[in-house]
């Protein structure tokens, strides 16, 4: 049985080969409005249409000083004003300057800015501030001081974002700065999701007998995948009936780029899904030394020349969350075409245990836990009392997963362990 790290490496390698087969440059593109581009994948590099800043701008409130001024000899003669959006129009001689505000254009015949605090401006009466007026500069600045030079940040024509970049909040800020309101993105992957089990009822329908329970995995998968550049095609709940599962799998293979299922992949008599995946496609891995979520299946189907990767998550709701966070989401970011350098990382944080934990040797445990970070940065983690994989209430109380290695038998109070904050617990 593969370890978590081994299965992750296997899937990463698989995804890299998939991307080599379907490079970003050969994928279908879609132009989307800037406001809707968050978490999409850039289909083409972005070049700056102009310099940023577009002109020399002041980074302080103060006075722009004309080139050649000697401020040790005489005060500065203030003859005008340049504020954000309202530049000074006119020419300046040595010894002259303009009152200037942060973000305002520095007149072309000025070469430095003195901050207001380094002048006697605060001591002038309102009458003494009628243009033109004089200010004494206490500490004359050197050339270039407090000027954000034109093109210092970005030069016209410069490539600022690469194809395959996952568009994040900072990218949106940069694109908006450059006036780019329509963004070339890759068409989202279509992910087919399906739940299997005779006991399942869709949320919204009535439970009619005691053996039924609501399908919580499908809504959970929708939520887990919501930040990915994907479109979800939900095939609903399939009965434990080989004919039904086969027909739906065939339909999903025809319609989707990736398929993710829950349940039916263990070795129970009614776990037809794994048998059918073997018949209709290939199983690359089945089972990982992880708790919860051991019977995780990874494989693929073919549709003509195309490959349709497949993830078969176990049925337990916690296994779905842990399996999806550990394997499915990282894989989907890669399959979606995100460049390697930009793939999201799983942050591990060391934390000190407040209570002892125990486990069986053999599998890597992901226990539900709650952590707090002290003022000095040290994290302290408290495991939830019961760790059975069907306990979903525990998960809503948890803000992290406590990771205990396969060869460990537990850890004592005060020991340092690894935790993985749940993505939705962070802001
Ligand atoms: P299975 O993998 O089919 O053996 O299912 C394992 C456990 O997960 C069983 O207790 C199922 O009832 C439960 N389960 C399977 N699918 C779902 C689902 N979609 N929502 C909630 N529980 C599920
Ligand atoms: Mg089942």
């Amino acid at each position: 049985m593969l370890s978590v790290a081994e299965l992750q490496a296997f899937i990463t390698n698989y995804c890299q080969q998939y991307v080599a087969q379907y490079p970003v440059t050969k994928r279908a593109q879609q132009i989307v409005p800037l406001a809707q581009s968050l978490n999409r994948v850039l289909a083409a590099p972005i070049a700056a249409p102009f310099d940023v800043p577009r002109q020399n701008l002041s980074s302080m409130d103060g006075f722009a000083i004309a080139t050649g001024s000697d401020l040790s000899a005489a005060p500065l003669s203030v003859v005008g004003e340049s504020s954000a959006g309202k530049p000074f129009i006119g020419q300046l001689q040595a010894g002259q300057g303009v009152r200037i505000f942060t973000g305002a254009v520095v007149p072309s015949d000025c070469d430095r800015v003195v901050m207001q605090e380094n002048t006697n401006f605060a001591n002038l009466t309102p009458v003494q501030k009628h243009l033109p007026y004089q200010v004494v500069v206490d500490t004359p600045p050197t050339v270039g001081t407090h000027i954000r030079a034109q093109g210092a940040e970005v030069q016209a024509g410069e490539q600022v974002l690469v194809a395959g970049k996952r568009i994040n909040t900072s990218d949106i800020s940069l694109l908006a700065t450059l006036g780019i309101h329509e963004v070339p993105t890759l068409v989202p992957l279509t992910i087919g999701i399906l739940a299997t089990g005779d006991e399942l009822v869709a949320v919204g329908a009535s439970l009619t007998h005691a053996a039924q329970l609501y399908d919580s995995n499908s809504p959970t998968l929708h939520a887990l995948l919501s930040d990915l550049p994907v479109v979800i095609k939900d095939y609903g709940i399939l009965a434990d009936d080989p004919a039904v599962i086969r027909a739906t799998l065939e339909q999903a293979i025809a319609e989707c780029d990736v398929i993710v299922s829950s349940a039916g992949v263990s070795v129970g008599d009614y776990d037809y899904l794994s048998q059918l995946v073997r018949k209709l496609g290939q199983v690359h891995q089945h089972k990982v030394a992880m708790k919860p979520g051991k019977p995780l299946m990874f494989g693929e189907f073919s549709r003509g020349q195309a490959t349709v990767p497949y993830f078969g998550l176990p049925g337990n709701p916690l296994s779905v969350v842990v399996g999806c966070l550990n394997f499915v989401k990282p894989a989907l970011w890669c399959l979606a075409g995100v460049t390697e350098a930009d793939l999201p990382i799983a942050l591990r944080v060391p934390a000190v245990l407040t209570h002892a934990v125990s486990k069986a040797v053999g599998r890597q445990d992901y226990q539900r836990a709650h952590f707090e970070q002290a003022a000095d940065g040290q994290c302290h983690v408290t495991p939830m009392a019961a760790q059975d994989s069907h306990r979903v209430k525990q998960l809503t109380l948890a803000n992290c997963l406590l990771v205990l290695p396969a060869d460990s038998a537990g850890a004592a109070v005060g020991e340092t362990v690894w935790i993985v904050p749940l993505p939705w617990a962070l802001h």
Side-chain angles (χ1 to χ4, degrees):
M1 193 167 18
L2 293 190
S3 69
V4 171
E6 284 165 343
L7 182 59
Q8 281 171 333
F10 182 92
I11 293 175
T12 301
N13 181 48
Y14 176 94
C15 293
Q16 284 164 350
Q17 285 176 29
Y18 177 98
V19 172
Q21 208 181 330
Y22 303 106
V24 166
T25 46
K26 290 197 187 149
R27 297 194 192 191
Q29 299 188 11
Q30 189 178 47
I31 303 285
V32 301
L34 179 61
Q36 286 158 35
S37 67
L38 184 68
N39 285 328
R40 303 289 289 255
V41 182
L42 257 187
I46 300 289
F50 47 73
D51 289 338
V52 180
R54 290 178 60 223
Q55 290 181 288
N56 287 352
L57 301 180
S58 176
S59 62
M60 285 289 167
D61 292 333
F63 300 90
I65 299 167
T67 305
S69 301
D70 178 4
L71 299 169
S72 57
L76 184 71
S77 175
V78 182
V79 299
E81 194 176 280
S82 179
S83 60
K86 293 194 193 104
F88 170 75
I89 309 221
Q91 291 194 334
L92 298 167
Q93 315 288 326
Q96 292 184 328
V98 297
R99 174 130 170 81
I100 198 162
F101 301 94
T102 305
V105 173
V106 177
S108 59
D109 36 19
C110 291
D111 63 358
R112 60 210 135 130
V113 168
V114 62
M115 50 198 280
Q116 189 170 307
E117 292 84 339
N118 291 346
T119 70
N120 69 336
F121 182 75
N123 301 331
L124 301 182
T125 63
V127 172
Q128 288 173 318
K129 292 180 195 165
H130 283 154
L131 289 169
Y133 60 92
Q134 305 218 309
V135 285
V136 176
V137 176
D138 307 329
T139 339
T142 52
V143 169
T145 301
H146 302 317
I147 293 179
R148 295 182 195 143
Q150 176 177 348
E153 224 209 317
V154 178
Q155 300 205 334
E158 181 185 329
Q159 185 184 304
V160 288
L161 296 174
V162 296
K165 179 89 175 61
R166 172 170 73 137
I167 301 167
N168 64 30
T169 304
S170 331
D171 300 330
I172 289 190
S173 174
L174 178 58
L175 289 165
T177 301
L178 297 173
I180 295 166
H181 62 105
E182 290 185 322
V183 188
T185 63
L186 297 181
V187 170
L189 295 177
T190 300
I191 313 292
I193 66 169
L194 44 104
T196 65
D198 282 339
E199 75 279 32
L200 302 177
V201 172
V203 173
S206 304
L207 298 173
T208 52
H209 64 80
Q212 291 181 324
L213 55 94
Y214 282 119
D215 163 23
S216 64
N217 290 342
S218 301
T220 306
L221 278 171
H222 276 271
L224 279 161
L225 305 183
S226 61
D227 59 343
L228 282 151
V230 301
V231 169
I232 294 176
K233 224 174 155 68
D234 193 337
Y235 292 91
I237 300 163
L238 315 189
D240 288 319
D241 172 342
V244 169
I245 298 175
R246 183 184 190 114
T248 310
L249 271 182
E250 282 172 343
Q251 191 189 344
I253 295 164
E255 295 173 340
C256 301
D257 298 305
V258 181
I259 298 172
V260 181
S261 68
S262 67
V265 288
S266 329
V267 291
D269 289 352
Y270 299 99
D271 291 332
Y272 297 116
L273 187 56
S274 48
Q275 300 164 26
L276 281 160
V277 173
R278 280 197 171 79
K279 272 194 197 137
L280 301 178
Q282 266 177 282
V283 173
H284 296 309
Q285 298 295 343
H286 192 181
K287 290 192 177 44
V288 53
M290 168 173 108
K291 190 181 173 205
K294 181 170 86 167
L296 193 140
M297 190 175 245
F298 176 64
E300 68 178 44
F301 302 102
S302 298
R303 180 183 59 231
Q305 297 292 344
T307 301
V308 181
Y310 166 71
F311 296 88
L313 296 167
N316 268 312
L318 279 169
S319 306
V320 166
V321 172
V322 175
C324 194
L325 291 177
N326 273 344
F327 305 105
V328 182
K329 286 195 77 172
L332 289 179
W333 280 115
C334 186
L335 296 173
V338 174
T339 53
E340 215 177 317
D342 204 37
L343 288 170
I345 55 163
L347 181 68
R348 290 190 310 164
V349 183
V352 175
L353 266 176
T354 64
H355 291 73
V357 284
S358 62
K359 72 179 272 295
V361 173
R363 290 193 270 161
Q364 181 149 303
D365 254 30
Y366 287 82
Q367 302 203 354
R368 274 70 63 207
H370 193 274
F371 81 101
E372 277 171 28
Q373 190 166 35
D376 64 358
Q378 174 72 67
C379 291
H380 298 269
V381 62
T382 305
M384 303 281 161
Q387 291 290 339
D388 317 78
S389 63
H390 60 276
R391 293 193 184 246
V392 279
K393 194 180 87 180
Q394 296 285 355
L395 192 60
T396 70
L397 302 173
N399 65 358
C400 70
L401 296 170
L402 193 170
V403 188
L404 296 165
D407 59 7
S408 132
V413 176
E415 258 186 67
T416 298
V417 291
W418 288 111
I419 59 168
V420 176
L422 289 167
W424 46 90
L426 304 176
H427 70 74

